[in-house]
Amino acid sequence: MTESEQLIAAMDNRVRRRDERREFFKAAFGVGAFAVGGAAALSFSGKAGAQTTALTDADILNFALNLEYLEAQFYQIAANGTYLPASMTASGGGTAGGTVTGGRKVGFQDQVVAQYAREIAADEVAHVAFLRSAGALGGSAVAMPNINISGDASGPFTAAARAAGVVAADGVFDPYADDNSFLLGAYIFEDVGVTAYKGASPLVTSKTFLQAAAGILAAEAYHSAIVRTTLYAKGVQTPSLRTAADAISNARDTLDGTSGTNGGDLDQGISPTTVNGQLVSNIVPADPTTAIAFSRTPQQVLNIVYLGAAATMGGFFPNGVNGTIRAGVSA
């Protein structure tokens, strides 16, 4: 077998192992494991009730702004013990922003992780400020919706962790409890942000806005790499971290549907794999044959943050996001 054939075979094995992990997850936890509020998570199409109106650049940027509000609030409270000021959550027209439930400052023991958290927090706050600026959405910016980032028994982090099998069915996952818990909480968000921006990029018509979105995507990719690399490294001494990250990845995949590559298995965890007979890390969540980062549609992103494939609200956004893109988007 030639070196090229060995590489292709190794890639095929990698895809097959990912498929096997996904099938195991489905059998163990159920396809609808992330459904909340009675939502039917067995439906993955995202076509029912889909919007037929054309989306504008402002619609796309406001969708991104909702996600930036979520990330900024999570990192700000975890790293600095504060929320965004009210002046950064009101709409461009002055409508007051929603409420934030839960969250507290993490008592970091690893100062490198603490520094990472503060840098990402500053970046996410800057993303919110930029998207709300006159050079972007300006007066068209939507207000921050109600956000739930609670780490208690009834919060979305616990719901996600229970569904993924990271904690027991009656367990609690608190991302503010310690360094490792914070990293796993951040991991839930980061890959979703990267794939959301990549998925939305073809919908942006303005070159100026597209350049801005590409710049934010690059920053989010660095954030994702920081979180994934740190979890991977810490997983050498604490293998359960890699196992938990893989379980979260599989759980996100139950909501992605069948669109995309690799039979709908878009996501991937951080456990090492083998390429051409050599053990390699798994830092970049990309297509295994092209090494190109994958995309998520707006509907797939909403499925994850709402924690339900057929949900129109819930999870981290208890009343849904604000703006045109809320649910049922077929783009």
Side-chain angles (χ1 to χ4, degrees), residues 3-15 17 268 271-282 288-289:
E3 182 176 348
S4 177
E5 289 172 333
Q6 289 176 341
L7 179 59
I8 292 173
M11 290 299 187
D12 288 341
N13 288 336
R14 179 176 175 181
V15 173
R17 284 194 298 272
Q268 62 192 101
S271 289
T273 187
T274 301
V275 175
N276 202 23
Q278 294 183 308
L279 193 66
V280 299
S281 63
N282 193 7
T289 57

mmCIF file with all atom_site columns, all heavy atoms in Angstrom, residues 3-15 17 268 271-282 288-289:
data_model
loop_
_atom_site.group_PDB
_atom_site.id
_atom_site.type_symbol
_atom_site.label_atom_id
_atom_site.label_alt_id
_atom_site.label_comp_id
_atom_site.label_asym_id
_atom_site.label_entity_id
_atom_site.label_seq_id
_atom_site.pdbx_PDB_ins_code
_atom_site.Cartn_x
_atom_site.Cartn_y
_atom_site.Cartn_z
_atom_site.occupancy
_atom_site.B_iso_or_equiv
_atom_site.pdbx_formal_charge
_atom_site.auth_seq_id
_atom_site.auth_comp_id
_atom_site.auth_asym_id
_atom_site.auth_atom_id
_atom_site.pdbx_PDB_model_num
ATOM 1   N N   . GLU A 1 3   ? 1.957   5.305  0.356  1.00 0.00 ? 3   GLU A N   1
ATOM 2   C CA  . GLU A 1 3   ? 1.756   6.262  1.461  1.00 0.00 ? 3   GLU A CA  1
ATOM 3   C C   . GLU A 1 3   ? 0.427   6.980  1.316  1.00 0.00 ? 3   GLU A C   1
ATOM 4   O O   . GLU A 1 3   ? -0.287  7.205  2.292  1.00 0.00 ? 3   GLU A O   1
ATOM 5   C CB  . GLU A 1 3   ? 2.900   7.273  1.471  1.00 0.00 ? 3   GLU A CB  1
ATOM 6   C CG  . GLU A 1 3   ? 2.810   8.286  2.614  1.00 0.00 ? 3   GLU A CG  1
ATOM 7   C CD  . GLU A 1 3   ? 4.005   9.215  2.645  1.00 0.00 ? 3   GLU A CD  1
ATOM 8   O OE1 . GLU A 1 3   ? 4.987   8.938  1.947  1.00 0.00 ? 3   GLU A OE1 1
ATOM 9   O OE2 . GLU A 1 3   ? 3.932   10.214 3.376  1.00 0.00 ? 3   GLU A OE2 1
ATOM 10  N N   . SER A 1 4   ? 0.061   7.327  0.057  1.00 0.00 ? 4   SER A N   1
ATOM 11  C CA  . SER A 1 4   ? -1.216  7.997  -0.187 1.00 0.00 ? 4   SER A CA  1
ATOM 12  C C   . SER A 1 4   ? -2.382  7.094  0.190  1.00 0.00 ? 4   SER A C   1
ATOM 13  O O   . SER A 1 4   ? -3.347  7.542  0.820  1.00 0.00 ? 4   SER A O   1
ATOM 14  C CB  . SER A 1 4   ? -1.321  8.402  -1.658 1.00 0.00 ? 4   SER A CB  1
ATOM 15  O OG  . SER A 1 4   ? -2.569  8.985  -1.931 1.00 0.00 ? 4   SER A OG  1
ATOM 16  N N   . GLU A 1 5   ? -2.285  5.827  -0.189 1.00 0.00 ? 5   GLU A N   1
ATOM 17  C CA  . GLU A 1 5   ? -3.357  4.889  0.136  1.00 0.00 ? 5   GLU A CA  1
ATOM 18  C C   . GLU A 1 5   ? -3.464  4.685  1.639  1.00 0.00 ? 5   GLU A C   1
ATOM 19  O O   . GLU A 1 5   ? -4.563  4.539  2.190  1.00 0.00 ? 5   GLU A O   1
ATOM 20  C CB  . GLU A 1 5   ? -3.102  3.551  -0.561 1.00 0.00 ? 5   GLU A CB  1
ATOM 21  C CG  . GLU A 1 5   ? -3.294  3.617  -2.070 1.00 0.00 ? 5   GLU A CG  1
ATOM 22  C CD  . GLU A 1 5   ? -2.844  2.345  -2.764 1.00 0.00 ? 5   GLU A CD  1
ATOM 23  O OE1 . GLU A 1 5   ? -1.954  1.653  -2.215 1.00 0.00 ? 5   GLU A OE1 1
ATOM 24  O OE2 . GLU A 1 5   ? -3.365  2.041  -3.841 1.00 0.00 ? 5   GLU A OE2 1
ATOM 25  N N   . GLN A 1 6   ? -2.310  4.670  2.329  1.00 0.00 ? 6   GLN A N   1
ATOM 26  C CA  . GLN A 1 6   ? -2.321  4.526  3.783  1.00 0.00 ? 6   GLN A CA  1
ATOM 27  C C   . GLN A 1 6   ? -3.006  5.713  4.441  1.00 0.00 ? 6   GLN A C   1
ATOM 28  O O   . GLN A 1 6   ? -3.766  5.565  5.401  1.00 0.00 ? 6   GLN A O   1
ATOM 29  C CB  . GLN A 1 6   ? -0.883  4.399  4.302  1.00 0.00 ? 6   GLN A CB  1
ATOM 30  C CG  . GLN A 1 6   ? -0.206  3.075  3.948  1.00 0.00 ? 6   GLN A CG  1
ATOM 31  C CD  . GLN A 1 6   ? 1.247   3.045  4.390  1.00 0.00 ? 6   GLN A CD  1
ATOM 32  O OE1 . GLN A 1 6   ? 1.855   4.095  4.628  1.00 0.00 ? 6   GLN A OE1 1
ATOM 33  N NE2 . GLN A 1 6   ? 1.799   1.860  4.515  1.00 0.00 ? 6   GLN A NE2 1
ATOM 34  N N   . LEU A 1 7   ? -2.739  6.917  3.893  1.00 0.00 ? 7   LEU A N   1
ATOM 35  C CA  . LEU A 1 7   ? -3.358  8.124  4.456  1.00 0.00 ? 7   LEU A CA  1
ATOM 36  C C   . LEU A 1 7   ? -4.865  8.090  4.276  1.00 0.00 ? 7   LEU A C   1
ATOM 37  O O   . LEU A 1 7   ? -5.624  8.391  5.199  1.00 0.00 ? 7   LEU A O   1
ATOM 38  C CB  . LEU A 1 7   ? -2.773  9.365  3.790  1.00 0.00 ? 7   LEU A CB  1
ATOM 39  C CG  . LEU A 1 7   ? -3.339  10.724 4.255  1.00 0.00 ? 7   LEU A CG  1
ATOM 40  C CD1 . LEU A 1 7   ? -3.122  10.898 5.745  1.00 0.00 ? 7   LEU A CD1 1
ATOM 41  C CD2 . LEU A 1 7   ? -2.680  11.857 3.484  1.00 0.00 ? 7   LEU A CD2 1
ATOM 42  N N   . ILE A 1 8   ? -5.313  7.696  3.073  1.00 0.00 ? 8   ILE A N   1
ATOM 43  C CA  . ILE A 1 8   ? -6.749  7.618  2.813  1.00 0.00 ? 8   ILE A CA  1
ATOM 44  C C   . ILE A 1 8   ? -7.405  6.596  3.718  1.00 0.00 ? 8   ILE A C   1
ATOM 45  O O   . ILE A 1 8   ? -8.477  6.825  4.287  1.00 0.00 ? 8   ILE A O   1
ATOM 46  C CB  . ILE A 1 8   ? -6.996  7.268  1.333  1.00 0.00 ? 8   ILE A CB  1
ATOM 47  C CG1 . ILE A 1 8   ? -6.565  8.442  0.441  1.00 0.00 ? 8   ILE A CG1 1
ATOM 48  C CG2 . ILE A 1 8   ? -8.468  6.954  1.091  1.00 0.00 ? 8   ILE A CG2 1
ATOM 49  C CD1 . ILE A 1 8   ? -6.616  8.135  -1.036 1.00 0.00 ? 8   ILE A CD1 1
ATOM 50  N N   . ALA A 1 9   ? -6.730  5.437  3.891  1.00 0.00 ? 9   ALA A N   1
ATOM 51  C CA  . ALA A 1 9   ? -7.275  4.394  4.769  1.00 0.00 ? 9   ALA A CA  1
ATOM 52  C C   . ALA A 1 9   ? -7.369  4.886  6.199  1.00 0.00 ? 9   ALA A C   1
ATOM 53  O O   . ALA A 1 9   ? -8.346  4.626  6.914  1.00 0.00 ? 9   ALA A O   1
ATOM 54  C CB  . ALA A 1 9   ? -6.402  3.147  4.695  1.00 0.00 ? 9   ALA A CB  1
ATOM 55  N N   . ALA A 1 10  ? -6.352  5.627  6.626  1.00 0.00 ? 10  ALA A N   1
ATOM 56  C CA  . ALA A 1 10  ? -6.364  6.161  7.992  1.00 0.00 ? 10  ALA A CA  1
ATOM 57  C C   . ALA A 1 10  ? -7.501  7.138  8.180  1.00 0.00 ? 10  ALA A C   1
ATOM 58  O O   . ALA A 1 10  ? -8.185  7.146  9.215  1.00 0.00 ? 10  ALA A O   1
ATOM 59  C CB  . ALA A 1 10  ? -5.017  6.840  8.289  1.00 0.00 ? 10  ALA A CB  1
ATOM 60  N N   . MET A 1 11  ? -7.734  7.997  7.161  1.00 0.00 ? 11  MET A N   1
ATOM 61  C CA  . MET A 1 11  ? -8.835  8.948  7.239  1.00 0.00 ? 11  MET A CA  1
ATOM 62  C C   . MET A 1 11  ? -10.169 8.220  7.278  1.00 0.00 ? 11  MET A C   1
ATOM 63  O O   . MET A 1 11  ? -11.080 8.593  8.021  1.00 0.00 ? 11  MET A O   1
ATOM 64  C CB  . MET A 1 11  ? -8.784  9.901  6.041  1.00 0.00 ? 11  MET A CB  1
ATOM 65  C CG  . MET A 1 11  ? -7.627  10.892 6.078  1.00 0.00 ? 11  MET A CG  1
ATOM 66  S SD  . MET A 1 11  ? -7.684  11.981 7.515  1.00 0.00 ? 11  MET A SD  1
ATOM 67  C CE  . MET A 1 11  ? -6.341  13.115 7.113  1.00 0.00 ? 11  MET A CE  1
ATOM 68  N N   . ASP A 1 12  ? -10.298 7.177  6.473  1.00 0.00 ? 12  ASP A N   1
ATOM 69  C CA  . ASP A 1 12  ? -11.535 6.400  6.475  1.00 0.00 ? 12  ASP A CA  1
ATOM 70  C C   . ASP A 1 12  ? -11.782 5.786  7.840  1.00 0.00 ? 12  ASP A C   1
ATOM 71  O O   . ASP A 1 12  ? -12.915 5.762  8.346  1.00 0.00 ? 12  ASP A O   1
ATOM 72  C CB  . ASP A 1 12  ? -11.481 5.294  5.410  1.00 0.00 ? 12  ASP A CB  1
ATOM 73  C CG  . ASP A 1 12  ? -11.593 5.844  4.000  1.00 0.00 ? 12  ASP A CG  1
ATOM 74  O OD1 . ASP A 1 12  ? -12.057 6.993  3.864  1.00 0.00 ? 12  ASP A OD1 1
ATOM 75  O OD2 . ASP A 1 12  ? -11.231 5.125  3.055  1.00 0.00 ? 12  ASP A OD2 1
ATOM 76  N N   . ASN A 1 13  ? -10.702 5.280  8.467  1.00 0.00 ? 13  ASN A N   1
ATOM 77  C CA  . ASN A 1 13  ? -10.839 4.702  9.806  1.00 0.00 ? 13  ASN A CA  1
ATOM 78  C C   . ASN A 1 13  ? -11.259 5.752  10.814 1.00 0.00 ? 13  ASN A C   1
ATOM 79  O O   . ASN A 1 13  ? -12.059 5.492  11.719 1.00 0.00 ? 13  ASN A O   1
ATOM 80  C CB  . ASN A 1 13  ? -9.507  4.078  10.242 1.00 0.00 ? 13  ASN A CB  1
ATOM 81  C CG  . ASN A 1 13  ? -9.197  2.802  9.490  1.00 0.00 ? 13  ASN A CG  1
ATOM 82  O OD1 . ASN A 1 13  ? -10.104 2.137  8.991  1.00 0.00 ? 13  ASN A OD1 1
ATOM 83  N ND2 . ASN A 1 13  ? -7.920  2.451  9.407  1.00 0.00 ? 13  ASN A ND2 1
ATOM 84  N N   . ARG A 1 14  ? -10.730 6.966  10.649 1.00 0.00 ? 14  ARG A N   1
ATOM 85  C CA  . ARG A 1 14  ? -11.071 8.048  11.563 1.00 0.00 ? 14  ARG A CA  1
ATOM 86  C C   . ARG A 1 14  ? -12.553 8.385  11.474 1.00 0.00 ? 14  ARG A C   1
ATOM 87  O O   . ARG A 1 14  ? -13.236 8.543  12.485 1.00 0.00 ? 14  ARG A O   1
ATOM 88  C CB  . ARG A 1 14  ? -10.220 9.270  11.224 1.00 0.00 ? 14  ARG A CB  1
ATOM 89  C CG  . ARG A 1 14  ? -10.482 10.495 12.095 1.00 0.00 ? 14  ARG A CG  1
ATOM 90  C CD  . ARG A 1 14  ? -9.518  11.594 11.719 1.00 0.00 ? 14  ARG A CD  1
ATOM 91  N NE  . ARG A 1 14  ? -9.807  12.821 12.438 1.00 0.00 ? 14  ARG A NE  1
ATOM 92  C CZ  . ARG A 1 14  ? -9.121  13.938 12.263 1.00 0.00 ? 14  ARG A CZ  1
ATOM 93  N NH1 . ARG A 1 14  ? -8.114  13.972 11.426 1.00 0.00 ? 14  ARG A NH1 1
ATOM 94  N NH2 . ARG A 1 14  ? -9.442  15.023 12.934 1.00 0.00 ? 14  ARG A NH2 1
ATOM 95  N N   . VAL A 1 15  ? -13.054 8.491  10.241 1.00 0.00 ? 15  VAL A N   1
ATOM 96  C CA  . VAL A 1 15  ? -14.468 8.785  10.052 1.00 0.00 ? 15  VAL A CA  1
ATOM 97  C C   . VAL A 1 15  ? -15.325 7.674  10.623 1.00 0.00 ? 15  VAL A C   1
ATOM 98  O O   . VAL A 1 15  ? -16.337 7.913  11.281 1.00 0.00 ? 15  VAL A O   1
ATOM 99  C CB  . VAL A 1 15  ? -14.783 8.983  8.550  1.00 0.00 ? 15  VAL A CB  1
ATOM 100 C CG1 . VAL A 1 15  ? -16.276 9.109  8.335  1.00 0.00 ? 15  VAL A CG1 1
ATOM 101 C CG2 . VAL A 1 15  ? -14.067 10.230 8.028  1.00 0.00 ? 15  VAL A CG2 1
ATOM 102 N N   . ARG A 1 17  ? -14.601 5.574  13.046 1.00 0.00 ? 17  ARG A N   1
ATOM 103 C CA  . ARG A 1 17  ? -14.591 5.612  14.510 1.00 0.00 ? 17  ARG A CA  1
ATOM 104 C C   . ARG A 1 17  ? -15.516 6.697  15.039 1.00 0.00 ? 17  ARG A C   1
ATOM 105 O O   . ARG A 1 17  ? -16.204 6.513  16.042 1.00 0.00 ? 17  ARG A O   1
ATOM 106 C CB  . ARG A 1 17  ? -13.158 5.840  15.021 1.00 0.00 ? 17  ARG A CB  1
ATOM 107 C CG  . ARG A 1 17  ? -12.268 4.613  14.933 1.00 0.00 ? 17  ARG A CG  1
ATOM 108 C CD  . ARG A 1 17  ? -11.008 4.800  15.746 1.00 0.00 ? 17  ARG A CD  1
ATOM 109 N NE  . ARG A 1 17  ? -10.192 5.895  15.265 1.00 0.00 ? 17  ARG A NE  1
ATOM 110 C CZ  . ARG A 1 17  ? -9.270  5.767  14.316 1.00 0.00 ? 17  ARG A CZ  1
ATOM 111 N NH1 . ARG A 1 17  ? -9.081  4.598  13.748 1.00 0.00 ? 17  ARG A NH1 1
ATOM 112 N NH2 . ARG A 1 17  ? -8.561  6.801  13.929 1.00 0.00 ? 17  ARG A NH2 1
ATOM 113 N N   . GLN A 1 268 ? -16.703 16.917 16.273 1.00 0.00 ? 268 GLN A N   1
ATOM 114 C CA  . GLN A 1 268 ? -15.729 15.934 16.726 1.00 0.00 ? 268 GLN A CA  1
ATOM 115 C C   . GLN A 1 268 ? -15.150 16.391 18.057 1.00 0.00 ? 268 GLN A C   1
ATOM 116 O O   . GLN A 1 268 ? -15.054 17.579 18.334 1.00 0.00 ? 268 GLN A O   1
ATOM 117 C CB  . GLN A 1 268 ? -14.621 15.733 15.695 1.00 0.00 ? 268 GLN A CB  1
ATOM 118 C CG  . GLN A 1 268 ? -13.786 16.953 15.408 1.00 0.00 ? 268 GLN A CG  1
ATOM 119 C CD  . GLN A 1 268 ? -12.913 16.792 14.184 1.00 0.00 ? 268 GLN A CD  1
ATOM 120 O OE1 . GLN A 1 268 ? -13.211 17.279 13.124 1.00 0.00 ? 268 GLN A OE1 1
ATOM 121 N NE2 . GLN A 1 268 ? -11.818 16.080 14.316 1.00 0.00 ? 268 GLN A NE2 1
ATOM 122 N N   . SER A 1 271 ? -10.254 13.632 21.534 1.00 0.00 ? 271 SER A N   1
ATOM 123 C CA  . SER A 1 271 ? -9.399  12.470 21.743 1.00 0.00 ? 271 SER A CA  1
ATOM 124 C C   . SER A 1 271 ? -8.467  12.281 20.564 1.00 0.00 ? 271 SER A C   1
ATOM 125 O O   . SER A 1 271 ? -8.846  12.518 19.409 1.00 0.00 ? 271 SER A O   1
ATOM 126 C CB  . SER A 1 271 ? -10.252 11.206 21.945 1.00 0.00 ? 271 SER A CB  1
ATOM 127 O OG  . SER A 1 271 ? -10.913 11.244 23.190 1.00 0.00 ? 271 SER A OG  1
ATOM 128 N N   . PRO A 1 272 ? -7.224  11.848 20.813 1.00 0.00 ? 272 PRO A N   1
ATOM 129 C CA  . PRO A 1 272 ? -6.265  11.666 19.720 1.00 0.00 ? 272 PRO A CA  1
ATOM 130 C C   . PRO A 1 272 ? -6.711  10.590 18.752 1.00 0.00 ? 272 PRO A C   1
ATOM 131 O O   . PRO A 1 272 ? -7.509  9.716  19.100 1.00 0.00 ? 272 PRO A O   1
ATOM 132 C CB  . PRO A 1 272 ? -4.979  11.263 20.447 1.00 0.00 ? 272 PRO A CB  1
ATOM 133 C CG  . PRO A 1 272 ? -5.436  10.682 21.752 1.00 0.00 ? 272 PRO A CG  1
ATOM 134 C CD  . PRO A 1 272 ? -6.657  11.456 22.122 1.00 0.00 ? 272 PRO A CD  1
ATOM 135 N N   . THR A 1 273 ? -6.199  10.670 17.549 1.00 0.00 ? 273 THR A N   1
ATOM 136 C CA  . THR A 1 273 ? -6.533  9.699  16.517 1.00 0.00 ? 273 THR A CA  1
ATOM 137 C C   . THR A 1 273 ? -5.253  9.256  15.827 1.00 0.00 ? 273 THR A C   1
ATOM 138 O O   . THR A 1 273 ? -4.154  9.722  16.165 1.00 0.00 ? 273 THR A O   1
ATOM 139 C CB  . THR A 1 273 ? -7.530  10.298 15.507 1.00 0.00 ? 273 THR A CB  1
ATOM 140 O OG1 . THR A 1 273 ? -7.964  9.289  14.606 1.00 0.00 ? 273 THR A OG1 1
ATOM 141 C CG2 . THR A 1 273 ? -6.899  11.438 14.740 1.00 0.00 ? 273 THR A CG2 1
ATOM 142 N N   . THR A 1 274 ? -5.375  8.360  14.874 1.00 0.00 ? 274 THR A N   1
ATOM 143 C CA  . THR A 1 274 ? -4.207  7.842  14.168 1.00 0.00 ? 274 THR A CA  1
ATOM 144 C C   . THR A 1 274 ? -4.290  8.213  12.697 1.00 0.00 ? 274 THR A C   1
ATOM 145 O O   . THR A 1 274 ? -5.312  7.995  12.042 1.00 0.00 ? 274 THR A O   1
ATOM 146 C CB  . THR A 1 274 ? -4.117  6.316  14.298 1.00 0.00 ? 274 THR A CB  1
ATOM 147 O OG1 . THR A 1 274 ? -4.039  5.977  15.685 1.00 0.00 ? 274 THR A OG1 1
ATOM 148 C CG2 . THR A 1 274 ? -2.883  5.781  13.577 1.00 0.00 ? 274 THR A CG2 1
ATOM 149 N N   . VAL A 1 275 ? -3.236  8.793  12.176 1.00 0.00 ? 275 VAL A N   1
ATOM 150 C CA  . VAL A 1 275 ? -3.133  9.130  10.758 1.00 0.00 ? 275 VAL A CA  1
ATOM 151 C C   . VAL A 1 275 ? -1.827  8.557  10.233 1.00 0.00 ? 275 VAL A C   1
ATOM 152 O O   . VAL A 1 275 ? -0.754  8.845  10.771 1.00 0.00 ? 275 VAL A O   1
ATOM 153 C CB  . VAL A 1 275 ? -3.179  10.654 10.530 1.00 0.00 ? 275 VAL A CB  1
ATOM 154 C CG1 . VAL A 1 275 ? -2.946  10.980 9.059  1.00 0.00 ? 275 VAL A CG1 1
ATOM 155 C CG2 . VAL A 1 275 ? -4.519  11.225 10.984 1.00 0.00 ? 275 VAL A CG2 1
ATOM 156 N N   . ASN A 1 276 ? -1.936  7.734  9.193  1.00 0.00 ? 276 ASN A N   1
ATOM 157 C CA  . ASN A 1 276 ? -0.761  7.134  8.570  1.00 0.00 ? 276 ASN A CA  1
ATOM 158 C C   . ASN A 1 276 ? 0.094   6.384  9.586  1.00 0.00 ? 276 ASN A C   1
ATOM 159 O O   . ASN A 1 276 ? 1.327   6.427  9.555  1.00 0.00 ? 276 ASN A O   1
ATOM 160 C CB  . ASN A 1 276 ? 0.078   8.212  7.871  1.00 0.00 ? 276 ASN A CB  1
ATOM 161 C CG  . ASN A 1 276 ? 0.983   7.647  6.798  1.00 0.00 ? 276 ASN A CG  1
ATOM 162 O OD1 . ASN A 1 276 ? 0.721   6.568  6.263  1.00 0.00 ? 276 ASN A OD1 1
ATOM 163 N ND2 . ASN A 1 276 ? 2.058   8.351  6.495  1.00 0.00 ? 276 ASN A ND2 1
ATOM 164 N N   . GLY A 1 277 ? -0.596  5.712  10.501 1.00 0.00 ? 277 GLY A N   1
ATOM 165 C CA  . GLY A 1 277 ? 0.095   4.892  11.489 1.00 0.00 ? 277 GLY A CA  1
ATOM 166 C C   . GLY A 1 277 ? 0.696   5.645  12.650 1.00 0.00 ? 277 GLY A C   1
ATOM 167 O O   . GLY A 1 277 ? 1.378   5.061  13.494 1.00 0.00 ? 277 GLY A O   1
ATOM 168 N N   . GLN A 1 278 ? 0.444   6.962  12.727 1.00 0.00 ? 278 GLN A N   1
ATOM 169 C CA  . GLN A 1 278 ? 1.003   7.764  13.807 1.00 0.00 ? 278 GLN A CA  1
ATOM 170 C C   . GLN A 1 278 ? -0.099  8.410  14.625 1.00 0.00 ? 278 GLN A C   1
ATOM 171 O O   . GLN A 1 278 ? -1.118  8.848  14.072 1.00 0.00 ? 278 GLN A O   1
ATOM 172 C CB  . GLN A 1 278 ? 1.923   8.857  13.255 1.00 0.00 ? 278 GLN A CB  1
ATOM 173 C CG  . GLN A 1 278 ? 3.186   8.333  12.591 1.00 0.00 ? 278 GLN A CG  1
ATOM 174 C CD  . GLN A 1 278 ? 4.073   9.464  12.136 1.00 0.00 ? 278 GLN A CD  1
ATOM 175 O OE1 . GLN A 1 278 ? 3.629   10.372 11.440 1.00 0.00 ? 278 GLN A OE1 1
ATOM 176 N NE2 . GLN A 1 278 ? 5.340   9.426  12.523 1.00 0.00 ? 278 GLN A NE2 1
ATOM 177 N N   . LEU A 1 279 ? 0.118   8.483  15.939 1.00 0.00 ? 279 LEU A N   1
ATOM 178 C CA  . LEU A 1 279 ? -0.854  9.114  16.824 1.00 0.00 ? 279 LEU A CA  1
ATOM 179 C C   . LEU A 1 279 ? -0.760  10.626 16.676 1.00 0.00 ? 279 LEU A C   1
ATOM 180 O O   . LEU A 1 279 ? 0.332   11.202 16.745 1.00 0.00 ? 279 LEU A O   1
ATOM 181 C CB  . LEU A 1 279 ? -0.577  8.723  18.277 1.00 0.00 ? 279 LEU A CB  1
ATOM 182 C CG  . LEU A 1 279 ? -1.684  9.043  19.291 1.00 0.00 ? 279 LEU A CG  1
ATOM 183 C CD1 . LEU A 1 279 ? -2.916  8.198  18.989 1.00 0.00 ? 279 LEU A CD1 1
ATOM 184 C CD2 . LEU A 1 279 ? -1.198  8.773  20.714 1.00 0.00 ? 279 LEU A CD2 1
ATOM 185 N N   . VAL A 1 280 ? -1.897  11.258 16.423 1.00 0.00 ? 280 VAL A N   1
ATOM 186 C CA  . VAL A 1 280 ? -1.928  12.716 16.278 1.00 0.00 ? 280 VAL A CA  1
ATOM 187 C C   . VAL A 1 280 ? -2.984  13.292 17.204 1.00 0.00 ? 280 VAL A C   1
ATOM 188 O O   . VAL A 1 280 ? -3.940  12.612 17.583 1.00 0.00 ? 280 VAL A O   1
ATOM 189 C CB  . VAL A 1 280 ? -2.230  13.141 14.821 1.00 0.00 ? 280 VAL A CB  1
ATOM 190 C CG1 . VAL A 1 280 ? -1.153  12.641 13.878 1.00 0.00 ? 280 VAL A CG1 1
ATOM 191 C CG2 . VAL A 1 280 ? -3.595  12.652 14.376 1.00 0.00 ? 280 VAL A CG2 1
ATOM 192 N N   . SER A 1 281 ? -2.812  14.557 17.563 1.00 0.00 ? 281 SER A N   1
ATOM 193 C CA  . SER A 1 281 ? -3.808  15.238 18.389 1.00 0.00 ? 281 SER A CA  1
ATOM 194 C C   . SER A 1 281 ? -5.033  15.535 17.548 1.00 0.00 ? 281 SER A C   1
ATOM 195 O O   . SER A 1 281 ? -5.045  15.322 16.337 1.00 0.00 ? 281 SER A O   1
ATOM 196 C CB  . SER A 1 281 ? -3.225  16.529 18.969 1.00 0.00 ? 281 SER A CB  1
ATOM 197 O OG  . SER A 1 281 ? -2.893  17.425 17.931 1.00 0.00 ? 281 SER A OG  1
ATOM 198 N N   . ASN A 1 282 ? -6.078  16.063 18.199 1.00 0.00 ? 282 ASN A N   1
ATOM 199 C CA  . ASN A 1 282 ? -7.328  16.355 17.497 1.00 0.00 ? 282 ASN A CA  1
ATOM 200 C C   . ASN A 1 282 ? -7.814  17.734 17.946 1.00 0.00 ? 282 ASN A C   1
ATOM 201 O O   . ASN A 1 282 ? -8.828  17.864 18.607 1.00 0.00 ? 282 ASN A O   1
ATOM 202 C CB  . ASN A 1 282 ? -8.366  15.273 17.817 1.00 0.00 ? 282 ASN A CB  1
ATOM 203 C CG  . ASN A 1 282 ? -9.566  15.341 16.892 1.00 0.00 ? 282 ASN A CG  1
ATOM 204 O OD1 . ASN A 1 282 ? -9.582  16.098 15.945 1.00 0.00 ? 282 ASN A OD1 1
ATOM 205 N ND2 . ASN A 1 282 ? -10.578 14.558 17.194 1.00 0.00 ? 282 ASN A ND2 1
ATOM 206 N N   . PRO A 1 288 ? -12.310 15.543 7.862  1.00 0.00 ? 288 PRO A N   1
ATOM 207 C CA  . PRO A 1 288 ? -11.121 14.698 7.966  1.00 0.00 ? 288 PRO A CA  1
ATOM 208 C C   . PRO A 1 288 ? -10.344 14.523 6.663  1.00 0.00 ? 288 PRO A C   1
ATOM 209 O O   . PRO A 1 288 ? -9.179  14.147 6.699  1.00 0.00 ? 288 PRO A O   1
ATOM 210 C CB  . PRO A 1 288 ? -11.683 13.356 8.447  1.00 0.00 ? 288 PRO A CB  1
ATOM 211 C CG  . PRO A 1 288 ? -13.100 13.361 8.006  1.00 0.00 ? 288 PRO A CG  1
ATOM 212 C CD  . PRO A 1 288 ? -13.542 14.782 8.119  1.00 0.00 ? 288 PRO A CD  1
ATOM 213 N N   . THR A 1 289 ? -10.956 14.792 5.535  1.00 0.00 ? 289 THR A N   1
ATOM 214 C CA  . THR A 1 289 ? -10.261 14.610 4.271  1.00 0.00 ? 289 THR A CA  1
ATOM 215 C C   . THR A 1 289 ? -9.708  15.906 3.698  1.00 0.00 ? 289 THR A C   1
ATOM 216 O O   . THR A 1 289 ? -8.717  15.891 2.970  1.00 0.00 ? 289 THR A O   1
ATOM 217 C CB  . THR A 1 289 ? -11.190 13.964 3.217  1.00 0.00 ? 289 THR A CB  1
ATOM 218 O OG1 . THR A 1 289 ? -12.348 14.777 3.057  1.00 0.00 ? 289 THR A OG1 1
ATOM 219 C CG2 . THR A 1 289 ? -11.596 12.566 3.661  1.00 0.00 ? 289 THR A CG2 1
#
